[in-house]
């Protein structure tokens, strides 16, 4: 490993690779360490099994941030395809288009249930809960209690493994921002009547509520194509990427104003020291803080942060078995099965599977170490075969092969204490370590998409090149609307006056 670099980056996901590429282009010496022995891209990688490709989730390439779009085009100029967005909700044995089609939803729910939904929506608007603190309260205010119980409760509790009354309203405000029953119904009626003008899939030209976007671009062999190309470009610019390498220790040398990073290559490899002026971390906050020597005062708040983990069971079948499944993905709101979402990777790109075959990804949300996580692969495959048959998408006997992928720390948990814990970590680390930069989903404990993770990295690079915290990267939220006009429109993130997090209760 290089013993002395300008910037050491922890994690080769979208944020880490974005930072590495931009810094290397700017002439900085860069070293990236990545825990995975095979894949770059983090949760946005594309896993290969035999001749099949599948995502860890499914990643649309859509952004309001022009800089992000331009960077995607720069890294991967010739390999994007335009894809229609088609997704549905499965509930009570029926399928609901998502975004909603008003007449279809009314027909599926029935007149009585539809009337109850509208009545509970009216009650919520007449008597909203003031200052909603939980996911349940926030959604009830926006949609009414009845729609909350039908379209939000079961799926959300599958994803997070906790009651909607334990989940912070922050998550709802970020993930469902701008979407209300009135906007969904108006949008649904125009769709039902065929009056909806489909927006272009050209990124940067799409507007409206992000949840209602009808088309997107996608690399023809999955999102990993983007990040594998980015990694090659970094190395071509002189940067180094070390796979199967873990962070062991992080020490700040106050006198010499640099970091000493101890990293181990392989499970039994020797620990080597790398000195760096700056460290960019997309590692989970819990792991980063635990590696800092001496331990900072925010160790306890960092350790209290929680994560939700994720299993994909990829079921392989002949393409004719999936003729009734044109969706990119289906949300499974039905409580009778454990699966939370099902991806149809062939609908993401025809190059994700060999000719004549299809691959469906059944996604199970869990906690690392629980019953699902520790189940043998054969038991998970048997469960997935059983549930795909129960839902009725394909027959269990049509599954001819399968593969299991486990993804730890897929989702930062937004419980009622997460914000205070993140604030405590941020205040201490920013105060003590001026050249430590947190980026990305796990690095900032923010449930963001890859374009938002990339923007936190892009602004961190701007800060490094400027020599001070010019931008407040924590202002990049889940819609990142301030970036719609590009960095020139990022006034809200400028560090003309430091933005101070909320005080942490004693």
């Amino acid at each position: 490993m290089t013993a002395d670099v300008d910037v050491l980056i922890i994690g080769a996901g979208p944020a880490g690779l974005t930072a590495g590429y931009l810094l290397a282009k700017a002439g900085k010496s860069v070293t990236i360490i990545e825990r995975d022995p095979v894949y770059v891209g983090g949760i946005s990688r594309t896993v290969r099994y035999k001749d099949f490709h599948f995502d860890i989730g499914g990643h649309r390439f859509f952004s309001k941030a022009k800089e992000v779009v331009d960077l995607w085009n720069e890294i991967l100029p010739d390999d994007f395809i335009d894809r229609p967005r088609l997704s549905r909700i499965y509930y009570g044995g029926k399928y609901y288009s998502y975004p909603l089609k008003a007449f279809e939803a009314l027909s599926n729910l029935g007149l009585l249930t539809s009337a109850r939904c509208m009545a509970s929506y009216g009650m919520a608007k007449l008597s909203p809960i003031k200052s909603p603190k939980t996911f349940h309260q926030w959604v009830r205010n926006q949609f009414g209690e009845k729609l909350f119980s039908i379209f939000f409760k079961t799926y959300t509790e599958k994803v997070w493994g906790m009651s909607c009354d334990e989940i912070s309203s922050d998550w709802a405000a970020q993930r469902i921002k701008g979407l209300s029953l009135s906007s969904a119904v108006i949008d649904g009626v125009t769709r039902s009547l065929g009056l909806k003008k489909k927006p272009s899939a050209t990124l940067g030209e799409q507007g409206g509520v992000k949840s209602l976007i009808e088309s997107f671009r996608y690399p023809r062999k999955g999102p990993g194509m983007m990040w594998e190309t980015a990694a090659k470009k970094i190395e071509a610019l002189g940067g180094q990427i070390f796979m199967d390498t873990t962070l062991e220790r992080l020490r700040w040398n106050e006198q010499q104003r640099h970091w000493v990073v101890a990293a181990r290559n392989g499970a039994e490899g020797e620990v080597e020291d790398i000195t760096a002026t700056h460290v960019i971390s997309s590692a989970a906050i819990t792991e980063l803080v635990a590696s800092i020597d001496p331990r900072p005062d925010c160790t306890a708040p960092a350790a209290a942060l929680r994560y939700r983990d994720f299993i994909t069971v990829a079921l392989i079948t002949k393409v004719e078995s999936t003729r009734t499944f044109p969706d990119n993905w289906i949300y499974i709101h039905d409580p009778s099965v454990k699966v939370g979402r099902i991806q149809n990777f062939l609908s993401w790109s025809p190059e994700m599977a060999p000719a004549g075959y299809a691959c469906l990804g059944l996604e199970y949300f869990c906690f690392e170490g629980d019953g699902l996580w520790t189940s043998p692969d054969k038991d998970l495959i048997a469960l997935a075969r059983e549930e795909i048959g129960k839902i009725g998408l394909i027959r269990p006997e049509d599954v001819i092969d399968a593969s299991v992928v486990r993804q730890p720390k897929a989702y930062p948990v937004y419980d009622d204490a997460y914000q205070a814990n993140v604030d405590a970590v941020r205040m201490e680390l920013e105060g003590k370590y001026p050249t430590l930069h947190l980026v990305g989903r796990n690095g900032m404990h923010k449930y963001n998409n890859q374009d938002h993770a990339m923007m936190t990295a892009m602004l961190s690079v701007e800060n490094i090149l400027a020599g001070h915290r010019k931008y407040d990267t924590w202002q990049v939220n889940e819609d990142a609307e301030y970036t719609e006009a590009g960095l020139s429109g990022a006034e809200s993130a400028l560090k003309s006056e430091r933005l101070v997090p909320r005080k942490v209760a004693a």
Side-chain angles (χ1 to χ4, degrees):
M1 297 185 188
T2 299
D4 203 355
V5 295
D6 293 324
V7 185
L8 183 286
I9 299 173
I10 304 166
L17 290 172
T18 295
Y21 177 65
L22 294 175
L23 287 164
K25 275 183 63 179
K28 298 293 184 181
S29 57
V30 175
T31 293
I32 301 175
I33 59 173
E34 168 55 46
R35 175 180 294 172
D36 195 288
V38 178
Y39 297 105
V40 296
I43 198 173
S44 296
R45 70 189 182 278
T46 300
V47 175
R48 290 179 290 275
Y49 173 71
K50 298 180 179 177
D51 293 326
F52 296 85
H53 299 72
F54 50 91
D55 286 11
I56 308 303
H59 301 273
R60 292 180 289 159
F61 280 69
F62 166 86
S63 182
K64 293 180 179 181
K66 182 179 183 299
E67 284 76 15
V68 171
V69 176
D70 289 345
L71 188 59
W72 281 334
N73 291 334
E74 179 180 330
I75 294 172
L76 204 67
D78 302 316
D79 290 294
F80 276 112
I81 55 177
D82 291 343
R83 301 303 294 163
R85 180 195 190 277
L86 177 61
S87 60
R88 289 181 289 173
I89 293 170
Y90 177 81
Y91 171 78
K94 296 180 180 180
Y95 291 96
Y96 297 78
S97 297
Y98 186 80
L100 294 173
K101 290 184 177 178
F103 301 142
E104 175 195 75
L106 290 171
S107 174
N108 281 354
L109 288 172
L111 187 60
L112 182 59
T113 301
S114 297
R116 288 174 175 168
C117 289
M118 296 310 295
S120 71
Y121 172 71
M123 289 183 63
K125 290 303 172 185
L126 287 172
S127 56
I129 297 171
K130 295 181 179 180
S131 302
K133 292 181 172 56
T134 69
F135 178 89
H136 183 178
Q137 291 173 343
W138 192 96
V139 175
R140 179 262 182 200
N141 278 1
Q142 293 294 110
F143 297 93
E145 189 69 30
K146 188 65 177 177
L147 279 174
F148 160 76
S149 66
I150 293 173
F151 289 121
F152 293 92
K153 184 178 188 297
T154 299
Y155 178 75
T156 302
E157 292 182 352
K158 279 185 183 182
V159 172
W160 296 107
M162 65 180 73
S163 165
C164 290
D165 293 312
E166 298 177 74
I167 302 169
S168 169
S169 60
D170 290 0
W171 185 74
Q174 291 177 359
R175 300 306 291 181
I176 320 173
K177 183 178 180 181
L179 182 62
S180 66
L181 182 61
S182 57
S183 65
V185 168
I186 291 169
D187 187 85
V189 169
T190 57
R191 291 170 194 275
S192 300
L193 296 177
L195 302 176
K196 183 76 173 179
K197 182 181 178 181
K198 291 185 179 181
S200 165
T202 302
L203 299 182
E205 294 180 3
Q206 296 169 314
V209 179
K210 201 166 191 177
S211 296
L212 304 180
I213 295 301
E214 286 190 329
S215 61
F216 57 91
R217 289 199 305 173
Y218 187 74
R220 57 186 179 82
K221 287 192 175 180
M225 199 176 188
M226 168 69 67
W227 303 117
E228 289 162 14
T229 303
K232 291 176 183 176
K233 288 180 179 287
I234 291 169
E235 291 177 327
L237 289 165
Q240 293 182 306
I241 301 176
F242 294 100
M243 305 298 293
D244 195 19
T245 301
T246 54
L247 173 68
E248 294 285 315
R249 186 177 61 257
L250 194 60
R251 180 179 294 144
W252 171 244
N253 186 317
E254 180 66 37
Q255 291 182 332
Q256 298 186 27
R257 307 295 288 177
H258 67 221
W259 290 95
V260 180
V261 183
R264 184 188 302 274
N265 185 255
E268 304 298 329
E270 293 184 4
V271 176
E272 297 186 42
D273 286 345
I274 308 168
T275 60
T277 305
H278 292 266
V279 169
I280 295 176
S281 175
S282 63
I285 285 178
T286 52
E287 297 173 355
L288 175 74
V289 172
S291 74
I292 297 175
D293 181 24
R295 292 289 177 88
D297 295 337
C298 63
T299 297
L305 293 171
R306 296 192 291 164
Y307 303 83
R308 191 67 163 155
D309 308 295
F310 183 87
I311 296 171
T312 294
V313 182
L315 301 181
I316 294 167
T317 184
K318 290 292 184 70
V319 72
E320 56 264 23
S321 302
T322 63
R323 294 297 186 192
T324 59
F325 187 10
D327 310 69
N328 307 110
W329 68 92
I330 294 177
Y331 298 106
I332 309 300
H333 289 220
D334 201 298
S336 67
V337 291
K338 293 181 179 179
V339 62
R341 189 170 58 185
I342 302 176
Q343 305 282 347
N344 180 5
F345 296 116
L346 207 59
S347 288
W348 286 83
S349 170
E351 295 190 47
M352 298 291 274
Y357 293 89
C359 182
L360 308 182
L362 279 72
E363 298 173 352
Y364 293 89
F365 307 98
C366 56
F367 288 113
E368 189 172 358
D370 69 12
L372 270 177
W373 184 267
T374 58
S375 293
D377 287 2
K378 64 180 181 62
D379 292 349
L380 291 170
I381 292 168
L383 173 65
R385 287 170 60 117
E386 176 190 347
E387 295 197 337
I388 199 81
K390 187 172 185 177
I391 294 167
L393 288 174
I394 62 173
R395 299 180 304 172
E397 58 266 30
D398 289 336
V399 176
I400 59 177
D401 200 356
S403 180
V404 176
V405 176
R406 291 169 176 81
Q407 175 62 46
K409 294 181 173 60
Y411 304 120
V413 171
Y414 278 29
D415 56 26
D416 56 3
Y418 96 95
Q419 188 62 64
N421 290 326
V422 171
D423 286 348
V425 171
R426 178 190 173 187
M427 290 174 73
E428 181 173 6
L429 296 190
E430 285 192 352
K432 282 186 176 179
Y433 312 117
T435 61
L436 175 62
H437 311 269
L438 307 189
V439 298
R441 175 181 285 193
N442 283 342
M444 303 175 80
H445 205 83
K446 296 181 71 171
Y447 190 136
N448 55 17
N449 294 323
Q450 66 172 337
D451 61 324
H452 307 130
M454 291 171 66
M455 182 56 73
T456 64
M458 295 169 84
L459 296 179
S460 293
V461 169
E462 291 288 324
N463 290 344
I464 289 171
L465 297 178
H468 64 95
R469 292 187 188 270
K470 178 180 178 183
Y471 293 99
D472 182 359
T473 57
W474 295 84
Q475 294 303 301
V476 178
N477 61 20
E478 271 51 43
D479 263 343
E481 289 180 342
Y482 73 78
T483 64
E484 193 164 2
L487 288 180
S488 60
E491 287 85 358
S492 64
L494 280 170
K495 299 300 295 183
S496 56
E497 181 177 348
R498 289 301 302 275
L499 296 173
V500 181
R502 295 193 296 271
K503 288 186 177 180
V504 182

